[in-house]
Amino acid sequence: MNWSVAWRAPYWLAAALALLLSLALVNTARAAETYTVQPGDTLARIARQYGVDLNALATANNLVNPNLIYPGQTLLIPEGDGTAPDEDPPAETAPAPAAAEHVVQRGETLYRIALRYGLTVSDLQQANVLPNSNLIFPGQRLLIPANGAAIAGSTPATEPVPAPPVAAKRIVVHKSEQRAYVYQNGELLWTFVVSTGMPGSETWSGTFAVRSKIPEAYAYNWALRMPYWLGFYHTGYLENGFHALPILSSGAILWDGYLGTPVSYGCVILSYPDAEALYNWADIGTEVVVQP
């Protein structure tokens, strides 16, 4: 028997086990931490919570638009700089000090929220890292910069805000009547028969504004062509708006003969002549009021 080999074997085995253990520890140390997005979360808030750079967090998750995250999404958390969640970030990257938070409600726009707190839209965009002032959603939490009117407390200013002047162009939808009333400079211009959302997919009530204008939009969920599209609010990643009776992939007209009845998935449907007239008349930013 080769006693030398027999005597050394336990040391080789111990070395191999030590190597495997060290690799396991390294892999455990390098395992990426994950976070599940909650309702109202923003990427900027998550980055601050974990003490990581916003751009690094977006890059680690292949996010082209930092605002496009959704509840339930799993994010990889890259290695941060060690800043604890309850510590202030470094001065050079610290956001504007916040006096309050505002939870976005249905029908709210960034303009109206800014007006409420005595801010500009640009103030809110910069404080919340919002590249598009139209991309806010119900439940989203917005930081209110310290130069806002609510700085004395954590609630909005109680002083009444002066009413804005009458909009030059305004569209009012009455769901109970299934009618749309179009005003220019305070004068009624047109009255259109419409169809709003069916039960379970009701068109939201509130004050909005035209935020997109497309000659013919396409609904991938239902394979529908929607001529003369005027989008005016988002429901998560989907947008609802005005458009003509939709066209199925077969070429058939959906809901033909049902105008004046709530039949849509949340949009406001018009006849082709009315939709074309409204599309040509309305501008981006035109106020839209939807009443029960």
Side-chain angles (χ1 to χ4, degrees):
M1 176 181 291
N2 187 336
W3 291 101
S4 175
V5 173
W7 179 71
R8 292 177 182 176
Y11 289 93
W12 286 106
L13 180 60
L17 290 173
L19 177 62
L20 289 174
L21 180 59
S22 65
L23 289 174
L25 290 173
V26 169
N27 287 337
T28 300
R30 292 181 179 176
E33 188 173 2
T34 61
Y35 175 79
T36 302
V37 178
Q38 304 299 311
D41 273 343
T42 65
L43 203 66
R45 180 182 300 279
I46 297 168
R48 285 194 295 271
Q49 177 180 337
Y50 284 92
V52 300
D53 180 73
L54 176 62
N55 291 329
L57 183 57
T59 301
N61 291 276
N62 298 317
L63 299 176
V64 177
N65 186 337
N67 281 317
L68 293 182
I69 61 173
Y70 53 89
Q73 182 178 5
T74 299
L75 298 177
L76 295 175
I77 307 299
E79 185 177 352
D81 58 7
T83 303
D86 58 350
E87 293 177 354
D88 291 330
E92 64 271 17
T93 59
E101 273 189 350
H102 177 87
V103 179
V104 178
Q105 305 298 311
R106 285 190 177 186
E108 284 191 321
T109 64
L110 207 63
Y111 167 76
R112 289 187 173 274
I113 297 170
L115 191 67
R116 179 179 183 182
Y117 289 94
L119 299 166
T120 66
V121 170
S122 179
D123 290 335
L124 286 180
Q125 281 187 269
Q126 292 177 14
N128 293 276
V129 196
L130 301 174
N132 188 333
S133 61
N134 287 321
L135 290 179
I136 62 172
F137 53 88
Q140 182 176 2
R141 296 179 181 274
L142 298 178
L143 296 175
I144 305 302
N147 58 325
I151 191 169
S154 59
T155 55
T158 56
E159 294 80 3
V161 177
V166 175
K169 292 185 176 183
R170 190 167 185 247
I171 307 168
V172 180
V173 176
H174 286 269
K175 292 189 288 185
S176 61
E177 301 176 14
Q178 293 295 285
R179 296 289 188 274
Y181 299 91
V182 182
Y183 297 88
Q184 184 156 348
N185 298 320
E187 299 292 331
L188 180 63
L189 187 62
W190 296 308
T191 300
F192 296 140
V193 177
V194 301
S195 284
T196 58
M198 68 180 79
S201 298
E202 291 88 352
T203 305
W204 289 359
S205 299
T207 301
F208 313 94
V210 174
R211 52 174 82 207
S212 65
K213 189 172 180 178
I214 307 170
E216 182 173 272
Y218 186 74
Y220 290 93
N221 286 5
W222 302 284
L224 298 175
R225 291 158 47 206
M226 300 174 291
Y228 307 119
W229 173 269
L230 295 170
F232 62 90
Y233 73 87
H234 280 91
T235 59
Y237 286 105
L238 299 178
E239 186 178 53
N240 282 344
F242 298 96
H243 61 85
L245 287 161
I247 305 169
L248 298 168
S249 56
S250 64
I253 305 299
L254 183 62
W255 303 319
D256 190 18
Y258 287 89
L259 279 177
T261 303
V263 293
S264 80
Y265 299 118
C267 289
V268 180
I269 314 299
L270 303 94
S271 69
Y272 281 85
D274 292 349
E276 182 180 14
L278 188 64
Y279 178 87
N280 291 332
W281 172 85
D283 305 312
I284 297 294
T286 295
E287 187 176 61
V288 178
V289 179
V290 181
Q291 298 183 351

